[in-house]
Amino acid sequence: MAQSNPFGKALIPDMIADASIQEIDGTFYCYATTDGYDAGLKTSGPPVVWKSKDFVHWSFSGICFPSAAGQLYWAPSKAIAANGRYYLYPTVNGYMYAAVSDSPGGPFHIAKGPDTFIKPYSANTLLKSQSSRPPVGIDAEVFIDDDKKAYLFWQLRHAARLYEDMVSVDTNVAIIETPHRGYSEGPIFFKRKGIYYFLYTLGGDEKYQYAYVSGNLSPLGPFDTPKGNDIIATTNYKRQIFGPGHGCVFNVQGTDDYYFVYLEYGRGSTNRQTYVNKLYFTNDGAIQPVDLTMEGVGALHKIKSDIPRKIKHALASSIRTELKINPAKDSSFQRVEYFAPSFAFDGANGSRWMASQNDTACWLIADLGKVDWIKRSDIYFVRPTAGHSYILESSVDGKHWTACGGHHDVRIQSPHSDVFKLKARYLRVRITGGVKGIWEWSIN
């Protein structure tokens, strides 16, 4: 049976969910939940910010919210510019907090009170406790209207004014009326051509859907149900795209181009990846149902970048056994992941090479087919937010190897880049620390 990649062209070479994407001064920023830590909702990856100039080449370096590292860090909002700073609203340990930084890339710290987290929650949560009850609410979305007034939206269709200090929430809370009454998280709110759009989820896992209402009076409503189809994203069985859920909508600055960002059920539980499709509107402002694909939208800004070399052959020290992914709610979901070495060179972000768990050598070789000049290597490891160390070597004959890059200390970043000028036919990476796998390896 031919091994193929069922995950398409994911946006980022990592497992992320609940993405909030925005463009700031020509750079795209992606704030998200870091998935892929293999313990469901009992754990999450640390907070990082992925950045890109063109929407194709993404990178991050280090932890963006140091005090939140080691906590359950979920569903951060976009970074909101206000008061000369940037405010971020993640859910930490199940409660919403406000964080602040002088830069959209961080480092962020708790906006009010000590920069520390107390379990189950502290006095610094965004929503405040009512008598003895905890401050219920997750998945913050913040919207700034044309008059500079700020609004907060969160789980179960809740909305309220967010005051000028960006940390105080009006206690007059609205419940947005929608035609569907199912469970709702991951709210999305934006304004286009005088129309306010409120997007909300239904279901979960493979049954995730996105529906919407719209209006032109106020960010707090009232809203109308569209005359056409108000469910704009749902499972596409023909293309095997399951459960388009918690994401965002963003606009490319200076254009009327809007994009719908969503997580896909992926490998089940908290092992998801994120995809992007163009969002289209009718002449009267209705959102057209999204034509879901896993093909990506390509570059949104043109930048000068080298085209990666084609790899003639990829050889690995071992290959992990294929992974059968079980459905949660939809028995028609059938998916198997393979881990072929060639997946590290397909440029898809959704596939990966993984070594077997008992592999102590753990190496991957890229064969260029002939001896030639090589000047750069960029490696996107699996679970990069936990950090990696590695040794990079070159060879002209595949027998004699010379060290040409890498580092012995474990660094939390992606990609790991080495710049040099050498003649070789082969490059070999030996993973000495971190998860034994590579999403992508770009060689120039």
Side-chain angles (χ1 to χ4, degrees), residues 67-124:
S67 65
Q71 311 296 318
L72 294 177
Y73 182 88
W74 300 331
S77 67
K78 299 172 184 177
I80 306 300
N83 306 326
R85 309 184 81 184
Y86 290 90
Y87 292 82
L88 189 70
Y89 302 88
T91 296
V92 182
N93 300 325
Y95 301 91
M96 295 187 296
Y97 288 82
V100 68
S101 173
D102 292 329
S103 164
F108 289 90
H109 59 85
I110 293 177
K112 188 176 182 179
D115 186 30
T116 186
F117 289 95
I118 300 170
K119 294 182 179 180
Y121 62 93
S122 73
N124 302 319

Side-chain angles (χ1 to χ4, degrees), residues 4-256:
S4 60
N5 166 26
F7 304 101
K9 295 180 180 178
L11 177 65
I12 283 172
D14 193 16
M15 291 183 187
I16 65 166
D18 315 324
S20 293
I21 295 176
Q22 68 193 116
E23 182 186 357
I24 302 173
D25 297 332
T27 296
F28 295 101
Y29 292 80
C30 178
Y31 307 86
T33 301
T34 300
D35 271 8
Y37 274 67
D38 295 332
L41 295 177
K42 294 180 181 179
T43 188
S44 71
V48 302
V49 181
W50 290 85
K51 305 175 188 178
S52 176
K53 288 291 187 181
D54 60 358
F55 209 70
V56 172
H57 301 91
W58 292 87
S59 65
F60 81 88
S61 180
I63 305 298
C64 73
F65 191 168
S67 65
Q71 311 296 318
L72 294 177
Y73 182 88
W74 300 331
S77 67
K78 299 172 184 177
I80 306 300
N83 306 326
R85 309 184 81 184
Y86 290 90
Y87 292 82
L88 189 70
Y89 302 88
T91 296
V92 182
N93 300 325
Y95 301 91
M96 295 187 296
Y97 288 82
V100 68
S101 173
D102 292 329
S103 164
F108 289 90
H109 59 85
I110 293 177
K112 188 176 182 179
D115 186 30
T116 186
F117 289 95
I118 300 170
K119 294 182 179 180
Y121 62 93
S122 73
N124 302 319
T125 53
L126 186 60
L127 302 179
K128 302 307 176 184
S129 300
Q130 301 296 321
S131 63
S132 61
R133 294 177 296 175
V136 178
I138 62 172
D139 296 355
E141 167 87 333
V142 174
F143 169 74
I144 308 292
D145 207 352
D146 299 333
D147 60 4
K148 306 302 181 183
K149 291 182 179 179
Y151 297 83
L152 174 70
F153 301 84
W154 67 96
Q155 174 197 35
L156 300 176
R157 304 167 178 81
H158 289 83
R161 275 290 317 280
L162 182 61
Y163 290 128
E164 287 76 8
D165 64 0
M166 303 303 289
V167 298
S168 302
V169 181
D170 192 338
T171 56
N172 294 311
V173 176
I175 305 295
I176 296 177
E177 292 294 328
T178 62
H180 303 283
R181 302 293 183 179
Y183 178 68
S184 176
E185 59 180 20
I188 297 172
F189 197 93
F190 67 99
K191 185 179 185 180
R192 174 185 178 269
K193 296 185 177 181
I195 300 175
Y196 300 103
Y197 297 88
F198 175 74
L199 282 62
Y200 60 102
T201 60
L202 300 168
D205 298 319
E206 312 101 304
K207 293 295 187 180
Y208 251 136
Q209 295 178 309
Y210 255 109
Y212 84 102
V213 291
S214 61
N216 56 16
L217 294 179
S218 164
L220 299 179
F223 297 99
D224 299 319
T225 302
K227 294 180 181 178
N229 190 354
D230 67 317
I231 295 180
I232 60 167
T234 191
T235 291
N236 186 316
Y237 289 100
K238 183 178 180 180
R239 294 176 180 166
Q240 293 290 286
I241 301 172
F242 287 85
H246 191 164
C248 71
V249 168
F250 74 93
N251 165 246
V252 176
Q253 292 175 352
T255 75
D256 190 38

Side-chain angles (χ1 to χ4, degrees), residues 350-429:
S351 58
R352 52 184 173 161
W353 162 69
M354 295 286 289
S356 61
Q357 293 182 337
N358 60 355
D359 183 353
T360 57
C362 193
W363 50 258
L364 179 66
I365 292 176
D367 178 3
L368 279 65
K370 64 178 182 179
V371 175
D372 203 350
W373 287 103
I374 307 173
K375 62 181 182 180
R376 186 181 180 95
S377 165
D378 295 288
I379 304 175
Y380 299 80
F381 292 108
V382 173
R383 202 185 292 173
T385 54
H388 282 82
S389 60
Y390 67 101
I391 298 171
L392 188 66
E393 301 164 306
S394 66
S395 174
V396 295
D397 58 8
K399 298 178 181 179
H400 303 89
W401 297 90
T402 302
C404 60
H407 49 81
H408 295 290
D409 57 319
V410 173
R411 300 178 188 176
I412 297 174
Q413 66 183 69
S414 189
H416 293 252
S417 300
D418 293 281
V419 179
F420 38 65
K421 187 176 181 180
L422 56 85
K423 266 193 170 183
R425 173 174 172 174
Y426 304 92
L427 282 184
R428 178 172 69 185
V429 57

